[in-house]
Amino acid sequence: MSKKVKNLSEDNLSRLNRIHPATNVAFNIMLAILALICFTPIIFIFIISITDNNVIKQQGYQFFVTAETFSSAAYEYLWSQRATILQALWVSVYVTVLGTAIGVMLTAVMGYVLSRTEHKLNNFLTILIFIPMVFGGGMAATYVVNSQILHLADTMWVLILPLAVSSFNIVISRTFFRTTIPDSIIESARIDGASQWTIFFKIVIPISKPVLATIGLFLAFGYWNDWFQAKLYISRDELRSLQSMLNQIQSSMDYLTKNPTALLGDSAALRNAMPAESARMAIAFIVAVPIACIYPFFQKYFISGLTVGAVKG
């Protein structure tokens, strides 16, 4: 009898959770529209980047490109700067990969320590981590510390270390470790004689892929899109990141466009032929596409990491 009742309850539950085909179609259409809305700006930027600059000046932005309005001048201009761009691309990739690895490791270690309630300095360290979320030292103090005290200016480390750890990421990892990893697992490992490092690397890390992927994605976005650190601390061209170098190219184009008397003769003709508007869009497209291609590989873990602390039913 109990088995029959159980089967009936399961059937009722599955019936309640069943989605009507019409509702499913409506949801799919709505999600497709939202995805198209999110993807349209990237398409629009690419279309503008392959549109003739004179057409943009005369007719403004257009969503469709024809054979008459098509122009590859923006990418040809950036191709003429390929040696500098490739060097900057290598710097950005190096900083993003190394910085993300360092940041994820440091954040995971600090989050795990704060998640252990038996730690004697837990409350003190939690307050210490929370303070930077509310108060900041200011740009002047940060610049003095990084350049004058730590002597990080004009080194690759100034692009990595200041962005490696944030209080927000530490709080996320602490919440994940505290709500996901049972204390019984940790206690069993201790009884078997495992050290804290063994517990962390062989037990905690393997079951923490969602939060590690989420933090890694946050850090990768931050490192890849950062140009301000290079603007503040880097004066050597070979250490400039892709975003910083492209921002410099865009600033140079803005200067030449707004100051026509700055150049004379053939240089002025070069300025007039420079695809300023389409080149800006080409720069934005080049910067956005690589990091956007990485997101699908982390989507599953990213969604799991965002639900840290959610109510489980």
Side-chain angles (χ1 to χ4, degrees), residues 199-242:
I199 295 173
F200 179 72
F201 283 108
K202 293 188 177 182
I203 297 178
V204 175
I205 292 297
I207 61 178
S208 303
K209 291 180 180 179
V211 71
L212 297 181
T214 302
I215 294 172
L217 202 59
F218 286 155
L219 289 172
F221 281 157
Y223 279 115
W224 182 260
N225 294 321
D226 178 64
W227 58 271
F228 193 63
Q229 295 293 116
K231 189 176 182 64
L232 280 179
Y233 301 107
I234 300 298
S235 59
R236 296 161 55 188
D237 291 337
E238 63 270 17
L239 293 180
R240 291 193 179 276
S241 62
L242 179 64

mmCIF file of all heavy atoms in Angstrom, residues 199-242:
data_model
loop_
_atom_site.group_PDB
_atom_site.id
_atom_site.type_symbol
_atom_site.label_atom_id
_atom_site.label_comp_id
_atom_site.label_asym_id
_atom_site.label_seq_id
_atom_site.Cartn_x
_atom_site.Cartn_y
_atom_site.Cartn_z
ATOM 1 N N ILE A 199 44.248 18.313 3.163
ATOM 2 C CA ILE A 199 42.798 18.457 3.146
ATOM 3 C C ILE A 199 42.374 19.476 2.095
ATOM 4 O O ILE A 199 41.420 19.257 1.332
ATOM 5 C CB ILE A 199 42.284 18.876 4.540
ATOM 6 C CG1 ILE A 199 42.553 17.768 5.563
ATOM 7 C CG2 ILE A 199 40.813 19.231 4.494
ATOM 8 C CD1 ILE A 199 42.234 18.171 6.993
ATOM 9 N N PHE A 200 43.101 20.585 2.039
ATOM 10 C CA PHE A 200 42.725 21.661 1.122
ATOM 11 C C PHE A 200 42.886 21.239 -0.333
ATOM 12 O O PHE A 200 41.976 21.434 -1.157
ATOM 13 C CB PHE A 200 43.573 22.901 1.419
ATOM 14 C CG PHE A 200 43.269 24.065 0.514
ATOM 15 C CD1 PHE A 200 42.091 24.774 0.648
ATOM 16 C CD2 PHE A 200 44.167 24.452 -0.471
ATOM 17 C CE1 PHE A 200 41.804 25.848 -0.184
ATOM 18 C CE2 PHE A 200 43.897 25.513 -1.304
ATOM 19 C CZ PHE A 200 42.714 26.216 -1.159
ATOM 20 N N PHE A 201 44.032 20.662 -0.678
ATOM 21 C CA PHE A 201 44.322 20.370 -2.084
ATOM 22 C C PHE A 201 43.669 19.072 -2.572
ATOM 23 O O PHE A 201 43.321 18.975 -3.761
ATOM 24 C CB PHE A 201 45.830 20.291 -2.305
ATOM 25 C CG PHE A 201 46.491 21.635 -2.358
ATOM 26 C CD1 PHE A 201 47.288 22.070 -1.309
ATOM 27 C CD2 PHE A 201 46.325 22.464 -3.451
ATOM 28 C CE1 PHE A 201 47.902 23.311 -1.346
ATOM 29 C CE2 PHE A 201 46.937 23.716 -3.499
ATOM 30 C CZ PHE A 201 47.725 24.137 -2.445
ATOM 31 N N LYS A 202 43.497 18.078 -1.688
ATOM 32 C CA LYS A 202 42.986 16.789 -2.135
ATOM 33 C C LYS A 202 41.507 16.569 -1.848
ATOM 34 O O LYS A 202 40.898 15.668 -2.425
ATOM 35 C CB LYS A 202 43.793 15.658 -1.497
ATOM 36 C CG LYS A 202 45.238 15.608 -1.987
ATOM 37 C CD LYS A 202 45.953 14.361 -1.480
ATOM 38 C CE LYS A 202 47.367 14.282 -2.043
ATOM 39 N NZ LYS A 202 48.075 13.046 -1.599
ATOM 40 N N ILE A 203 40.925 17.384 -0.971
ATOM 41 C CA ILE A 203 39.504 17.218 -0.644
ATOM 42 C C ILE A 203 38.695 18.455 -1.018
ATOM 43 O O ILE A 203 37.673 18.361 -1.710
ATOM 44 C CB ILE A 203 39.331 16.911 0.862
ATOM 45 C CG1 ILE A 203 40.019 15.590 1.213
ATOM 46 C CG2 ILE A 203 37.855 16.866 1.232
ATOM 47 C CD1 ILE A 203 39.953 15.235 2.681
ATOM 48 N N VAL A 204 39.166 19.617 -0.577
ATOM 49 C CA VAL A 204 38.379 20.840 -0.770
ATOM 50 C C VAL A 204 38.405 21.299 -2.231
ATOM 51 O O VAL A 204 37.351 21.559 -2.826
ATOM 52 C CB VAL A 204 38.906 21.955 0.159
ATOM 53 C CG1 VAL A 204 38.175 23.265 -0.116
ATOM 54 C CG2 VAL A 204 38.737 21.546 1.607
ATOM 55 N N ILE A 205 39.584 21.403 -2.823
ATOM 56 C CA ILE A 205 39.709 21.920 -4.183
ATOM 57 C C ILE A 205 38.946 21.079 -5.212
ATOM 58 O O ILE A 205 38.235 21.636 -6.059
ATOM 59 C CB ILE A 205 41.192 22.051 -4.573
ATOM 60 C CG1 ILE A 205 41.864 23.161 -3.756
ATOM 61 C CG2 ILE A 205 41.342 22.351 -6.060
ATOM 62 C CD1 ILE A 205 41.302 24.533 -4.001
ATOM 63 N N PRO A 206 39.039 19.742 -5.185
ATOM 64 C CA PRO A 206 38.321 18.960 -6.209
ATOM 65 C C PRO A 206 36.806 19.138 -6.207
ATOM 66 O O PRO A 206 36.166 18.958 -7.247
ATOM 67 C CB PRO A 206 38.705 17.513 -5.869
ATOM 68 C CG PRO A 206 40.024 17.623 -5.179
ATOM 69 C CD PRO A 206 39.926 18.882 -4.376
ATOM 70 N N ILE A 207 36.207 19.466 -5.061
ATOM 71 C CA ILE A 207 34.754 19.623 -5.014
ATOM 72 C C ILE A 207 34.344 21.098 -5.029
ATOM 73 O O ILE A 207 33.179 21.415 -4.750
ATOM 74 C CB ILE A 207 34.168 18.941 -3.762
ATOM 75 C CG1 ILE A 207 34.725 19.564 -2.480
ATOM 76 C CG2 ILE A 207 34.421 17.454 -3.801
ATOM 77 C CD1 ILE A 207 34.142 18.954 -1.218
ATOM 78 N N SER A 208 35.270 21.974 -5.367
ATOM 79 C CA SER A 208 34.989 23.416 -5.357
ATOM 80 C C SER A 208 35.090 24.032 -6.747
ATOM 81 O O SER A 208 35.365 25.220 -6.881
ATOM 82 C CB SER A 208 35.961 24.126 -4.405
ATOM 83 O OG SER A 208 35.883 23.599 -3.107
ATOM 84 N N LYS A 209 34.884 23.238 -7.784
ATOM 85 C CA LYS A 209 35.007 23.745 -9.148
ATOM 86 C C LYS A 209 34.051 24.899 -9.456
ATOM 87 O O LYS A 209 34.440 25.857 -10.133
ATOM 88 C CB LYS A 209 34.805 22.607 -10.158
ATOM 89 C CG LYS A 209 35.926 21.584 -10.156
ATOM 90 C CD LYS A 209 35.666 20.492 -11.180
ATOM 91 C CE LYS A 209 36.787 19.461 -11.177
ATOM 92 N NZ LYS A 209 36.535 18.364 -12.152
ATOM 93 N N PRO A 210 32.779 24.871 -8.997
ATOM 94 C CA PRO A 210 31.885 25.998 -9.319
ATOM 95 C C PRO A 210 32.389 27.335 -8.827
ATOM 96 O O PRO A 210 32.418 28.308 -9.580
ATOM 97 C CB PRO A 210 30.569 25.596 -8.628
ATOM 98 C CG PRO A 210 30.613 24.120 -8.577
ATOM 99 C CD PRO A 210 32.052 23.769 -8.337
ATOM 100 N N VAL A 211 32.799 27.417 -7.565
ATOM 101 C CA VAL A 211 33.236 28.712 -7.039
ATOM 102 C C VAL A 211 34.584 29.113 -7.622
ATOM 103 O O VAL A 211 34.833 30.293 -7.888
ATOM 104 C CB VAL A 211 33.287 28.672 -5.491
ATOM 105 C CG1 VAL A 211 34.445 27.813 -4.995
ATOM 106 C CG2 VAL A 211 33.392 30.081 -4.930
ATOM 107 N N LEU A 212 35.465 28.149 -7.880
ATOM 108 C CA LEU A 212 36.760 28.473 -8.482
ATOM 109 C C LEU A 212 36.577 28.991 -9.902
ATOM 110 O O LEU A 212 37.257 29.943 -10.322
ATOM 111 C CB LEU A 212 37.664 27.239 -8.480
ATOM 112 C CG LEU A 212 38.059 26.678 -7.113
ATOM 113 C CD1 LEU A 212 38.966 25.464 -7.281
ATOM 114 C CD2 LEU A 212 38.751 27.744 -6.274
ATOM 115 N N ALA A 213 35.657 28.379 -10.654
ATOM 116 C CA ALA A 213 35.398 28.850 -12.018
ATOM 117 C C ALA A 213 34.764 30.231 -12.014
ATOM 118 O O ALA A 213 35.083 31.073 -12.857
ATOM 119 C CB ALA A 213 34.497 27.854 -12.742
ATOM 120 N N THR A 214 33.878 30.482 -11.061
ATOM 121 C CA THR A 214 33.236 31.795 -10.975
ATOM 122 C C THR A 214 34.247 32.884 -10.657
ATOM 123 O O THR A 214 34.294 33.930 -11.314
ATOM 124 C CB THR A 214 32.135 31.764 -9.899
ATOM 125 O OG1 THR A 214 31.183 30.750 -10.224
ATOM 126 C CG2 THR A 214 31.434 33.108 -9.810
ATOM 127 N N ILE A 215 35.070 32.645 -9.655
ATOM 128 C CA ILE A 215 36.097 33.627 -9.290
ATOM 129 C C ILE A 215 37.099 33.788 -10.419
ATOM 130 O O ILE A 215 37.534 34.903 -10.738
ATOM 131 C CB ILE A 215 36.792 33.205 -7.984
ATOM 132 C CG1 ILE A 215 35.805 33.253 -6.823
ATOM 133 C CG2 ILE A 215 37.986 34.094 -7.685
ATOM 134 C CD1 ILE A 215 36.338 32.686 -5.534
ATOM 135 N N GLY A 216 37.474 32.679 -11.053
ATOM 136 C CA GLY A 216 38.398 32.753 -12.177
ATOM 137 C C GLY A 216 37.838 33.570 -13.319
ATOM 138 O O GLY A 216 38.569 34.345 -13.957
ATOM 139 N N LEU A 217 36.545 33.446 -13.574
ATOM 140 C CA LEU A 217 35.922 34.216 -14.643
ATOM 141 C C LEU A 217 35.889 35.698 -14.291
ATOM 142 O O LEU A 217 36.164 36.554 -15.146
ATOM 143 C CB LEU A 217 34.503 33.699 -14.901
ATOM 144 C CG LEU A 217 33.907 34.007 -16.270
ATOM 145 C CD1 LEU A 217 34.757 33.419 -17.385
ATOM 146 C CD2 LEU A 217 32.482 33.474 -16.362
ATOM 147 N N PHE A 218 35.566 36.020 -13.044
ATOM 148 C CA PHE A 218 35.599 37.416 -12.607
ATOM 149 C C PHE A 218 36.998 38.007 -12.777
ATOM 150 O O PHE A 218 37.172 39.132 -13.283
ATOM 151 C CB PHE A 218 35.170 37.531 -11.140
ATOM 152 C CG PHE A 218 33.699 37.355 -10.920
ATOM 153 C CD1 PHE A 218 33.218 36.924 -9.687
ATOM 154 C CD2 PHE A 218 32.794 37.597 -11.931
ATOM 155 C CE1 PHE A 218 31.863 36.758 -9.480
ATOM 156 C CE2 PHE A 218 31.436 37.437 -11.733
ATOM 157 C CZ PHE A 218 30.962 37.014 -10.497
ATOM 158 N N LEU A 219 38.003 37.260 -12.341
ATOM 159 C CA LEU A 219 39.378 37.747 -12.430
ATOM 160 C C LEU A 219 39.825 37.879 -13.881
ATOM 161 O O LEU A 219 40.496 38.850 -14.246
ATOM 162 C CB LEU A 219 40.311 36.803 -11.674
ATOM 163 C CG LEU A 219 40.196 36.831 -10.147
ATOM 164 C CD1 LEU A 219 41.030 35.710 -9.535
ATOM 165 C CD2 LEU A 219 40.653 38.173 -9.597
ATOM 166 N N ALA A 220 39.469 36.894 -14.711
ATOM 167 C CA ALA A 220 39.864 36.953 -16.115
ATOM 168 C C ALA A 220 39.254 38.172 -16.797
ATOM 169 O O ALA A 220 39.938 38.876 -17.571
ATOM 170 C CB ALA A 220 39.439 35.674 -16.837
ATOM 171 N N PHE A 221 37.986 38.452 -16.529
ATOM 172 C CA PHE A 221 37.355 39.650 -17.083
ATOM 173 C C PHE A 221 38.088 40.898 -16.617
ATOM 174 O O PHE A 221 38.329 41.825 -17.398
ATOM 175 C CB PHE A 221 35.886 39.721 -16.654
ATOM 176 C CG PHE A 221 34.989 38.823 -17.444
ATOM 177 C CD1 PHE A 221 33.783 38.397 -16.914
ATOM 178 C CD2 PHE A 221 35.338 38.385 -18.704
ATOM 179 C CE1 PHE A 221 32.948 37.552 -17.632
ATOM 180 C CE2 PHE A 221 34.515 37.543 -19.440
ATOM 181 C CZ PHE A 221 33.319 37.136 -18.901
ATOM 182 N N GLY A 222 38.400 40.938 -15.316
ATOM 183 C CA GLY A 222 39.069 42.118 -14.778
ATOM 184 C C GLY A 222 40.440 42.345 -15.386
ATOM 185 O O GLY A 222 40.786 43.469 -15.772
ATOM 186 N N TYR A 223 41.240 41.288 -15.474
ATOM 187 C CA TYR A 223 42.583 41.423 -16.046
ATOM 188 C C TYR A 223 42.527 41.762 -17.538
ATOM 189 O O TYR A 223 43.287 42.596 -18.023
ATOM 190 C CB TYR A 223 43.376 40.133 -15.841
ATOM 191 C CG TYR A 223 43.974 39.990 -14.469
ATOM 192 C CD1 TYR A 223 43.557 38.979 -13.604
ATOM 193 C CD2 TYR A 223 44.959 40.863 -14.019
ATOM 194 C CE1 TYR A 223 44.106 38.842 -12.336
ATOM 195 C CE2 TYR A 223 45.506 40.738 -12.757
ATOM 196 C CZ TYR A 223 45.080 39.728 -11.918
ATOM 197 O OH TYR A 223 45.618 39.613 -10.662
ATOM 198 N N TRP A 224 41.649 41.093 -18.269
ATOM 199 C CA TRP A 224 41.611 41.292 -19.717
ATOM 200 C C TRP A 224 41.155 42.708 -20.085
ATOM 201 O O TRP A 224 41.652 43.308 -21.029
ATOM 202 C CB TRP A 224 40.686 40.262 -20.357
ATOM 203 C CG TRP A 224 40.636 40.375 -21.850
ATOM 204 C CD1 TRP A 224 39.671 40.985 -22.599
ATOM 205 C CD2 TRP A 224 41.610 39.885 -22.776
ATOM 206 N NE1 TRP A 224 39.976 40.899 -23.927
ATOM 207 C CE2 TRP A 224 41.161 40.227 -24.064
ATOM 208 C CE3 TRP A 224 42.807 39.193 -22.625
ATOM 209 C CZ2 TRP A 224 41.876 39.893 -25.208
ATOM 210 C CZ3 TRP A 224 43.521 38.859 -23.768
ATOM 211 C CH2 TRP A 224 43.054 39.221 -25.034
ATOM 212 N N ASN A 225 40.195 43.242 -19.328
ATOM 213 C CA ASN A 225 39.643 44.553 -19.650
ATOM 214 C C ASN A 225 40.390 45.702 -18.988
ATOM 215 O O ASN A 225 40.062 46.869 -19.248
ATOM 216 C CB ASN A 225 38.163 44.612 -19.247
ATOM 217 C CG ASN A 225 37.299 43.674 -20.059
ATOM 218 O OD1 ASN A 225 37.508 43.524 -21.261
ATOM 219 N ND2 ASN A 225 36.336 43.032 -19.415
ATOM 220 N N ASP A 226 41.363 45.402 -18.148
ATOM 221 C CA ASP A 226 42.046 46.469 -17.416
ATOM 222 C C ASP A 226 43.019 47.218 -18.320
ATOM 223 O O ASP A 226 43.809 46.622 -19.043
ATOM 224 C CB ASP A 226 42.815 45.878 -16.221
ATOM 225 C CG ASP A 226 43.578 46.955 -15.474
ATOM 226 O OD1 ASP A 226 42.931 47.853 -14.914
ATOM 227 O OD2 ASP A 226 44.827 46.903 -15.479
ATOM 228 N N TRP A 227 42.936 48.517 -18.279
ATOM 229 C CA TRP A 227 43.895 49.385 -18.970
ATOM 230 C C TRP A 227 44.404 50.485 -18.038
ATOM 231 O O TRP A 227 45.430 51.114 -18.296
ATOM 232 C CB TRP A 227 43.232 50.051 -20.183
ATOM 233 C CG TRP A 227 42.011 50.863 -19.847
ATOM 234 C CD1 TRP A 227 40.727 50.408 -19.793
ATOM 235 C CD2 TRP A 227 41.962 52.246 -19.482
ATOM 236 N NE1 TRP A 227 39.881 51.423 -19.415
ATOM 237 C CE2 TRP A 227 40.609 52.565 -19.232
ATOM 238 C CE3 TRP A 227 42.923 53.241 -19.356
ATOM 239 C CZ2 TRP A 227 40.196 53.836 -18.853
ATOM 240 C CZ3 TRP A 227 42.513 54.521 -18.982
ATOM 241 C CH2 TRP A 227 41.162 54.802 -18.738
ATOM 242 N N PHE A 228 43.704 50.675 -16.914
ATOM 243 C CA PHE A 228 44.037 51.779 -16.026
ATOM 244 C C PHE A 228 45.354 51.545 -15.293
ATOM 245 O O PHE A 228 46.120 52.485 -15.058
ATOM 246 C CB PHE A 228 42.902 52.000 -15.029
ATOM 247 C CG PHE A 228 43.000 53.294 -14.287
ATOM 248 C CD1 PHE A 228 42.925 54.496 -14.950
ATOM 249 C CD2 PHE A 228 43.165 53.301 -12.913
ATOM 250 C CE1 PHE A 228 43.015 55.700 -14.264
ATOM 251 C CE2 PHE A 228 43.259 54.489 -12.217
ATOM 252 C CZ PHE A 228 43.181 55.700 -12.893
ATOM 253 N N GLN A 229 45.612 50.288 -14.908
ATOM 254 C CA GLN A 229 46.865 49.992 -14.211
ATOM 255 C C GLN A 229 48.066 50.340 -15.098
ATOM 256 O O GLN A 229 49.043 50.937 -14.627
ATOM 257 C CB GLN A 229 46.916 48.508 -13.835
ATOM 258 C CG GLN A 229 45.874 48.069 -12.828
ATOM 259 C CD GLN A 229 46.095 48.678 -11.465
ATOM 260 O OE1 GLN A 229 45.260 49.449 -10.981
ATOM 261 N NE2 GLN A 229 47.203 48.362 -10.841
ATOM 262 N N ALA A 230 47.994 49.966 -16.370
ATOM 263 C CA ALA A 230 49.097 50.280 -17.285
ATOM 264 C C ALA A 230 49.229 51.778 -17.493
ATOM 265 O O ALA A 230 50.344 52.301 -17.618
ATOM 266 C CB ALA A 230 48.879 49.574 -18.617
ATOM 267 N N LYS A 231 48.117 52.466 -17.531
ATOM 268 C CA LYS A 231 48.159 53.919 -17.713
ATOM 269 C C LYS A 231 48.829 54.608 -16.532
ATOM 270 O O LYS A 231 49.529 55.619 -16.687
ATOM 271 C CB LYS A 231 46.740 54.460 -17.896
ATOM 272 C CG LYS A 231 46.675 55.934 -18.316
ATOM 273 C CD LYS A 231 45.251 56.349 -18.561
ATOM 274 C CE LYS A 231 45.178 57.791 -19.019
ATOM 275 N NZ LYS A 231 45.838 58.017 -20.319
ATOM 276 N N LEU A 232 48.629 54.056 -15.333
ATOM 277 C CA LEU A 232 49.206 54.664 -14.130
ATOM 278 C C LEU A 232 50.678 54.326 -13.944
ATOM 279 O O LEU A 232 51.485 55.207 -13.601
ATOM 280 C CB LEU A 232 48.432 54.203 -12.896
ATOM 281 C CG LEU A 232 47.101 54.877 -12.579
ATOM 282 C CD1 LEU A 232 46.496 54.249 -11.337
ATOM 283 C CD2 LEU A 232 47.262 56.373 -12.406
ATOM 284 N N TYR A 233 51.044 53.053 -14.167
ATOM 285 C CA TYR A 233 52.348 52.578 -13.721
ATOM 286 C C TYR A 233 53.316 52.213 -14.844
ATOM 287 O O TYR A 233 54.500 52.032 -14.570
ATOM 288 C CB TYR A 233 52.167 51.340 -12.828
ATOM 289 C CG TYR A 233 51.314 51.580 -11.607
ATOM 290 C CD1 TYR A 233 50.014 51.076 -11.529
ATOM 291 C CD2 TYR A 233 51.797 52.313 -10.530
ATOM 292 C CE1 TYR A 233 49.235 51.282 -10.412
ATOM 293 C CE2 TYR A 233 51.018 52.526 -9.411
ATOM 294 C CZ TYR A 233 49.740 52.016 -9.352
ATOM 295 O OH TYR A 233 48.959 52.232 -8.248
ATOM 296 N N ILE A 234 52.842 52.063 -16.067
ATOM 297 C CA ILE A 234 53.701 51.574 -17.147
ATOM 298 C C ILE A 234 54.079 52.711 -18.087
ATOM 299 O O ILE A 234 53.201 53.417 -18.600
ATOM 300 C CB ILE A 234 53.003 50.446 -17.944
ATOM 301 C CG1 ILE A 234 52.672 49.269 -17.028
ATOM 302 C CG2 ILE A 234 53.878 49.985 -19.101
ATOM 303 C CD1 ILE A 234 53.879 48.610 -16.398
ATOM 304 N N SER A 235 55.367 52.864 -18.298
ATOM 305 C CA SER A 235 55.864 53.847 -19.264
ATOM 306 C C SER A 235 56.619 53.183 -20.412
ATOM 307 O O SER A 235 56.911 53.836 -21.417
ATOM 308 C CB SER A 235 56.783 54.864 -18.567
ATOM 309 O OG SER A 235 57.892 54.212 -17.959
ATOM 310 N N ARG A 236 56.931 51.893 -20.269
ATOM 311 C CA ARG A 236 57.628 51.157 -21.323
ATOM 312 C C ARG A 236 56.606 50.518 -22.258
ATOM 313 O O ARG A 236 55.711 49.812 -21.819
ATOM 314 C CB ARG A 236 58.518 50.077 -20.703
ATOM 315 C CG ARG A 236 59.637 50.636 -19.829
ATOM 316 C CD ARG A 236 60.196 49.588 -18.887
ATOM 317 N NE ARG A 236 60.643 48.394 -19.623
ATOM 318 C CZ ARG A 236 61.031 47.274 -19.021
ATOM 319 N NH1 ARG A 236 60.989 47.200 -17.679
ATOM 320 N NH2 ARG A 236 61.437 46.253 -19.731
ATOM 321 N N ASP A 237 56.767 50.772 -23.554
ATOM 322 C CA ASP A 237 55.792 50.292 -24.530
ATOM 323 C C ASP A 237 55.713 48.778 -24.576
ATOM 324 O O ASP A 237 54.650 48.213 -24.837
ATOM 325 C CB ASP A 237 56.131 50.837 -25.925
ATOM 326 C CG ASP A 237 55.903 52.333 -26.029
ATOM 327 O OD1 ASP A 237 55.112 52.873 -25.229
ATOM 328 O OD2 ASP A 237 56.527 52.976 -26.901
ATOM 329 N N GLU A 238 56.827 48.085 -24.315
ATOM 330 C CA GLU A 238 56.804 46.622 -24.404
ATOM 331 C C GLU A 238 56.038 45.974 -23.259
ATOM 332 O O GLU A 238 55.775 44.771 -23.295
ATOM 333 C CB GLU A 238 58.227 46.068 -24.440
ATOM 334 C CG GLU A 238 59.055 46.333 -23.191
ATOM 335 C CD GLU A 238 59.822 47.648 -23.267
ATOM 336 O OE1 GLU A 238 59.462 48.484 -24.119
ATOM 337 O OE2 GLU A 238 60.776 47.814 -22.490
ATOM 338 N N LEU A 239 55.664 46.737 -22.240
ATOM 339 C CA LEU A 239 54.900 46.202 -21.119
ATOM 340 C C LEU A 239 53.436 46.626 -21.143
ATOM 341 O O LEU A 239 52.685 46.303 -20.219
ATOM 342 C CB LEU A 239 55.530 46.643 -19.787
ATOM 343 C CG LEU A 239 56.911 46.064 -19.457
ATOM 344 C CD1 LEU A 239 57.397 46.597 -18.120
ATOM 345 C CD2 LEU A 239 56.884 44.547 -19.451
ATOM 346 N N ARG A 240 53.013 47.314 -22.162
ATOM 347 C CA ARG A 240 51.631 47.757 -22.250
ATOM 348 C C ARG A 240 50.721 46.598 -22.661
ATOM 349 O O ARG A 240 51.054 45.838 -23.555
ATOM 350 C CB ARG A 240 51.480 48.907 -23.246
ATOM 351 C CG ARG A 240 52.127 50.204 -22.782
ATOM 352 C CD ARG A 240 51.702 51.380 -23.634
ATOM 353 N NE ARG A 240 52.317 52.602 -23.162
ATOM 354 C CZ ARG A 240 51.844 53.345 -22.167
ATOM 355 N NH1 ARG A 240 50.727 52.977 -21.559
ATOM 356 N NH2 ARG A 240 52.462 54.444 -21.789
ATOM 357 N N SER A 241 49.590 46.507 -22.017
ATOM 358 C CA SER A 241 48.617 45.474 -22.359
ATOM 359 C C SER A 241 47.857 45.884 -23.615
ATOM 360 O O SER A 241 47.946 47.024 -24.089
ATOM 361 C CB SER A 241 47.642 45.266 -21.201
ATOM 362 O OG SER A 241 46.915 46.461 -20.947
ATOM 363 N N LEU A 242 47.096 44.918 -24.151
ATOM 364 C CA LEU A 242 46.350 45.178 -25.380
ATOM 365 C C LEU A 242 45.347 46.307 -25.187
ATOM 366 O O LEU A 242 45.237 47.198 -26.038
ATOM 367 C CB LEU A 242 45.621 43.900 -25.813
ATOM 368 C CG LEU A 242 44.761 44.000 -27.082
ATOM 369 C CD1 LEU A 242 45.625 44.298 -28.288
ATOM 370 C CD2 LEU A 242 43.982 42.716 -27.292
#
